[in-house]
Amino acid sequence: VARAAFPPDVIAAAWRDAQALWETRVDLSPPEALAKQASTDWGGNEPLAYIDLAIRQVVVNFPLLAAIAPGSLAAVLAHELGHHLRFPHTLGLSAQLAVLEQRLIPGLKQSLTNLFFDLQVNEEVGRTRAAELADVYRGFLRRDPEVSPVFHFYLAIYEELWGLPAGSLLPVASEEPLERQYPGIRADARMFAQTFWALPSTYLQFVYFCSRFIRYIPVPSAHQLRVPLGGDVPFPGADDLADALYGNGEIERALAEGAERGWLDVVPGEGTDPLVTANRVTEHLPGKERGKLREALVSRHYKRLVDRHLVPIPPLAKSQPDAYLPSTLSEWEVGDDPGRIDWTASVLLSGAAAGARPVQRDLLPEPPDTVGAGPVAVEIYLDTSGSMPNPTQSLNAMTLAAQVLAASAIRKGGVVRAIVYSTESRVSPWMYDEDVARRSLLHFYGGGTEFPFPVLDRLSAERADVVRVIVSDSDFLYNVNHDAARKVLLAGTGRSRRMVALLALGSDPKAALATIGPAGQHPAFRLVTVNDLGAFAEMAARLAKGLFGA
Amino acid sequence: MSGWDLVTLAAELDQAPLASPLSEALAIAVIADVLRSGGVRPPSVAEWQALVAGARRGPTVLRFDLRREQLGVVAHALQSTSLGAATEAALRASPPTDPTAALEEFLGAVFPLTAEMIRSNRFRREEMLRRWASTWRAAIAGETAAASTERLGQIDYRKALVEYERAEKARVEEAAKRAEALRLAQEAEAAARGWRE
């Protein structure tokens, strides 16, 4: 049926018409059937059409289109081109809106951004092809007549926009019950249609859009909507979303204007935790994809925080050291520094005539000290017990401090090994890459606190030229407060270039040192305490500067 | 069916945006010229003054400013698009018995549209054009009289505002309930996070 409805010449003509609507030619392959794109599993929710940006290919679900609106191919293609060419203009904008909607409709499960861009595209396409678009929605409702409140509102907007009588797109029977459930829904749709497209900026449009649509989404955390011509805007990637986590001035102005116009009761606070936002904006994605994107976003956020603590200071030009190493002999001449005359060598060479023919010994600068030079190796023992939050959900000050140390060492050409522990522990390989180290240090157990003394014992026996840093809190003192542990710590300290305990402590450091025992008196041991968790990263930055000159 | 082509008129208006408001005197002169060209005696100076000043009897001074704005927008459209010629033709086809009363009716009907609303919103622009057509009994191309009346009812801003009041009232009540539900959800989420201060 689909092949009969859409022979190649019909597809070619529709493709030309769609491009003509946007007055442009595009660098995309002509439409291809969805069936050929077998690599994606749609789970029974095959889209009507979309553009596969990876292969720059327009894909159409011809059988579905033949079933619901066979005369609407040009409008459907024009719709897809509208997304590609204009709405969203960039995926960066799409990311900004996805983040903004979490401030406006917290906990929203499925993003409304696709619906928002559909409204923008359909207004332009509908100027000349409203009847074809209307056929698509009617055909969709013939197959699936159940209309949720938000879908009803959405279609009522098109009825108002295209000047269609109420009930032209929507089932007539749904109008009355929804009017009872949501008094004034028709007037709301009418006002929306007469306001939305006249607003001067995309952000302001989006604030208005969310402020109206939220009414018809009773449980945002359960919101899921399948609409024809939906699901065809790619979700932004990690780069775009990471940039969007922190908002921008234009968004704040749009929110303020939204409040001024009475659309919002209050301007939603700026203080939304970027980690919470990162989790929320990826909530609707499938498991594996969600996990990868979340990890990338969380990692970017911690990198930003690490960078804030590690302001690079331009290196000073090194002055040439004074020359003082004796080298070869040469004749002293008038005008040379008399202090360089080597009288012993002169007498040995010239005997009594040494005074007439003195020789001088050239001096060379000493080569740099090689002892202890070379890339620094750092082992970071990071406490991830349940007393601290999961770093992917809330800012974890200890994780951040560990990342500051790791980034400092790696930026100085060093290598880092992460020992993340709770009641169990995980030892990473030596890491040379800042991003790999950051992700490794984002691992979280969330159980009790058991410092991995056997691991310390083993690793310190393997390699002694290592700076070892323990990042923990007062729980570490409980862990070390028995003889066997003290013994391992002392031995480990003795087999370390430096052993530092960076601890969040409310108590007296002297009492802490007493608990630590003999290791605390070892010349290689340092205890650094932090009273306030908020100062952890700053203290780590200072420590890194002291240890690695970072 | 012949009549005013609103699509063309709207496109012409898009091509000729109003850069700065016309003065009251100039707006009156432009409208009076069109009336004269259509074979209709324009209102006298006193009648014009009454048309504009009539609004002074309204509740606010804003209405007075609004009428000046509205006359300015109409004059701009008459001057810069084919609306002037279309209006002249309509006047010749169906001369009004009392042009001053017709203008008063028009100004009453387009309240409270501002020049900015008409400039930035195509619905408001369409409403203004349709009301102007209705004032001079001009037909809209491709529409029956009943369809034109229905469309005017659909885009009637005053009517929409009144109906919208109901939605707004319900929205306020619903928003309060939603805010409370959200607050409870956030408290639950914070508790589940287990952050130690």
Side-chain angles (χ1 to χ4, degrees):
Chain A
V1 174
R3 202 167 297 155
F6 304 108
D9 58 324
V10 168
I11 296 174
W15 183 233
R16 274 197 307 276
D17 290 348
Q19 292 179 79
L21 188 142
W22 294 101
E23 295 175 341
T24 184
R25 289 189 63 81
V26 292
D27 184 21
L28 291 169
S29 304
E32 189 176 86
L34 179 70
K36 289 187 181 173
Q37 306 284 318
S39 55
T40 309
D41 177 18
W42 299 102
N45 287 326
E46 287 83 2
L48 183 60
Y50 67 99
I51 292 178
D52 186 337
L53 283 175
I55 53 172
R56 304 187 73 76
Q57 173 76 59
V58 183
V59 180
V60 179
N61 188 342
F62 286 116
L64 180 60
L65 186 60
I68 65 173
S72 300
L73 179 58
V76 168
L77 294 176
H79 177 97
E80 297 311 322
L81 283 181
H83 282 312
H84 183 61
L85 297 167
R86 295 273 299 278
F87 308 108
H89 187 56
T90 63
L91 283 182
L93 171 68
S94 184
Q96 295 279 3
L97 298 187
V99 170
L100 173 57
E101 84 182 332
Q102 285 298 333
R103 288 174 69 183
L104 292 164
I105 313 178
L108 183 70
K109 184 172 182 185
Q110 185 191 59
S111 175
L112 292 171
T113 51
N114 205 145
L115 217 55
F116 171 77
F117 293 126
D118 279 354
L119 282 169
Q120 292 182 312
V121 169
N122 283 351
E123 191 271 331
E124 294 230 15
V125 176
R127 289 178 194 176
T128 49
R129 295 186 177 273
E132 290 174 45
L133 290 175
D135 281 346
V136 171
Y137 291 109
R138 279 194 207 99
F140 181 84
L141 284 173
R142 271 198 307 276
R143 286 165 62 97
D144 186 1
E146 201 166 317
V147 183
S148 66
V150 68
F151 193 35
H152 181 103
F153 180 62
Y154 177 69
L155 290 184
I157 289 168
Y158 286 130
E159 287 182 342
E160 295 297 327
L161 174 68
W162 295 329
L164 303 170
S168 297
L169 297 180
L170 286 158
V172 178
S174 73
E175 188 85 7
E176 203 183 309
L178 275 164
E179 193 66 40
R180 268 200 308 276
Q181 192 181 350
Y182 295 99
I185 184 171
R186 172 60 55 176
D188 208 3
R190 179 167 294 176
M191 191 57 90
F192 185 96
Q194 295 182 16
T195 306
F196 177 74
W197 287 279
L199 295 171
S201 85
T202 304
Y203 291 121
L204 192 61
Q205 277 184 312
F206 193 70
V207 169
Y208 178 67
F209 167 86
C210 287
S211 74
R212 304 300 94 175
F213 271 71
I214 190 174
R215 184 184 181 207
Y216 306 102
I217 302 173
V219 186
S221 58
H223 167 71
Q224 261 188 317
L225 180 65
R226 186 172 174 247
V227 295
L229 295 168
D232 52 352
V233 177
F235 194 71
D239 287 340
D240 290 322
L241 280 172
D243 288 343
L245 287 180
Y246 310 97
N248 65 41
E250 216 179 324
I251 288 175
E252 299 311 317
R253 283 192 291 279
L255 287 168
E257 188 170 343
E260 200 179 310
R261 288 178 182 239
W263 304 335
L264 310 171
D265 292 336
V266 288
V267 175
E270 276 186 74
T272 311
D273 184 345
L275 293 172
V276 174
T277 307
N279 283 327
R280 284 178 176 166
V281 292
T282 53
E283 189 65 42
H284 67 286
L285 296 172
K288 193 176 170 189
E289 202 180 327
R290 180 174 58 220
K292 278 173 71 176
L293 188 54
R294 275 185 187 173
E295 187 189 64
L297 291 177
V298 169
S299 176
R300 303 284 172 94
H301 178 58
Y302 275 88
K303 180 179 187 306
R304 189 183 167 107
L305 296 174
V306 166
D307 288 345
R308 196 182 292 168
H309 289 285
L310 297 180
V311 179
I313 299 166
L316 294 171
K318 283 184 182 168
S319 56
Q320 191 71 11
D322 289 339
Y324 67 94
L325 282 184
S327 175
T328 51
L329 293 170
S330 61
E331 279 194 22
W332 184 86
E333 291 177 6
V334 178
D336 287 345
D337 181 0
R340 287 195 175 180
I341 296 173
D342 185 336
W343 286 113
T344 308
S346 299
V347 169
L348 286 174
L349 279 172
S350 308
R357 293 180 56 195
V359 291
Q360 63 178 348
R361 193 172 285 278
D362 292 333
L363 295 176
L364 291 176
E366 188 183 32
D369 178 17
T370 55
V371 179
V376 65
V378 186
E379 274 176 14
I380 299 172
Y381 292 77
L382 174 62
D383 174 0
T384 65
S385 59
S387 59
M388 294 296 284
N390 184 335
T392 64
Q393 290 171 1
S394 289
L395 179 65
N396 183 320
M398 286 187 192
T399 298
L400 179 58
Q403 291 189 346
V404 167
L405 287 165
S408 306
I410 289 171
R411 287 179 196 184
K412 293 296 284 184
V415 291
V416 170
R417 178 146 71 181
I419 299 92
V420 178
Y421 72 93
S422 171
T423 40
E424 49 188 321
S425 62
R426 191 172 91 158
V427 181
S428 77
W430 287 106
M431 297 175 287
Y432 300 80
D433 182 273
E434 203 178 315
D435 189 49
V436 173
R438 189 165 42 248
R439 287 175 191 238
S440 181
L441 287 164
L442 281 173
H443 189 78
F444 182 73
Y445 283 111
T449 312
E450 287 176 24
F451 185 84
F453 287 105
V455 174
L456 170 64
D457 198 31
R458 176 168 60 82
L459 296 181
S460 62
E462 279 175 14
R463 188 170 173 178
D465 63 333
V466 173
V467 174
R468 297 190 161 84
V469 184
I470 299 161
V471 182
S472 182
D473 55 18
S474 57
D475 287 352
F476 176 74
L477 298 180
Y478 290 107
N479 289 160
V480 80
N481 195 16
H482 58 90
D483 289 344
R486 287 195 191 97
K487 199 174 158 190
V488 174
L489 184 63
L490 177 62
T493 304
R495 296 194 296 257
S496 298
R497 192 162 152 191
R498 185 79 76 204
M499 175 74 79
V500 182
L502 176 58
L503 306 179
L505 287 182
S507 58
D508 181 8
K510 284 181 185 167
L513 276 174
T515 307
I516 288 166
Q521 309 305 316
H522 194 284
F525 188 88
R526 296 286 185 278
L527 173 66
V528 180
T529 61
V530 183
N531 287 323
D532 174 14
L533 278 174
F536 227 117
E538 178 56 35
M539 187 57 82
R542 283 194 216 165
L543 179 61
K545 195 173 179 186
L547 287 172
F548 324 126
Chain B
M1 183 191 294
S2 65
W4 289 13
D5 182 353
L6 290 187
V7 176
T8 303
L9 282 172
E12 287 173 357
L13 273 175
D14 278 341
Q15 295 296 316
L18 180 58
S20 59
L22 271 66
S23 69
E24 183 183 325
L26 180 57
I28 288 172
V30 169
I31 297 169
D33 273 353
V34 170
L35 291 172
R36 266 191 292 272
S37 300
V40 174
R41 188 183 69 82
S44 66
V45 173
E47 284 169 330
W48 276 117
Q49 282 174 349
L51 268 174
V52 178
R56 290 182 193 273
R57 292 193 294 271
T60 61
V61 176
L62 180 68
R63 282 191 68 177
F64 166 68
D65 293 332
L66 210 53
R67 285 203 166 187
R68 285 203 309 192
E69 269 186 49
Q70 289 159 344
L71 288 174
V73 170
V74 169
H76 168 72
L78 291 170
Q79 208 177 26
S80 55
T81 71
S82 57
L83 184 67
T87 305
E88 287 170 19
L91 290 168
R92 287 185 193 285
S94 178
T97 49
D98 184 350
T100 307
L103 283 167
E104 175 61 43
E105 191 187 336
F106 170 76
L107 290 170
V110 292
F111 175 81
L113 303 188
T114 63
E116 174 55 23
M117 286 163 85
I118 295 166
R119 184 198 65 78
S120 64
N121 189 316
R122 71 179 172 91
F123 286 92
R124 304 287 85 86
R125 203 156 53 224
E126 183 185 345
E127 185 180 355
M128 188 272 284
L129 289 172
R130 283 181 180 275
R131 293 212 183 278
W132 187 249
S134 169
T135 299
W136 311 115
R137 296 182 207 165
I140 306 298
E143 288 179 7
T144 61
S148 295
T149 307
E150 193 182 327
R151 177 63 180 162
L152 201 45
Q154 195 178 26
I155 60 172
D156 184 331
Y157 184 59
R158 264 193 300 190
K159 193 174 146 198
L161 276 180
V162 172
E163 289 171 356
Y164 185 63
E165 282 289 309
R166 207 166 141 244
E168 275 299 275
K169 199 178 160 198
R171 190 195 310 281
V172 170
E173 289 167 11
E174 291 157 9
K177 285 183 198 163
R178 202 166 39 243
E180 177 61 11
L182 179 65
R183 190 185 63 77
L184 293 172
Q186 281 175 338
E187 280 178 10
E189 187 184 309
R193 220 182 295 154
W195 169 253
R196 184 193 62 175
E197 294 299 331

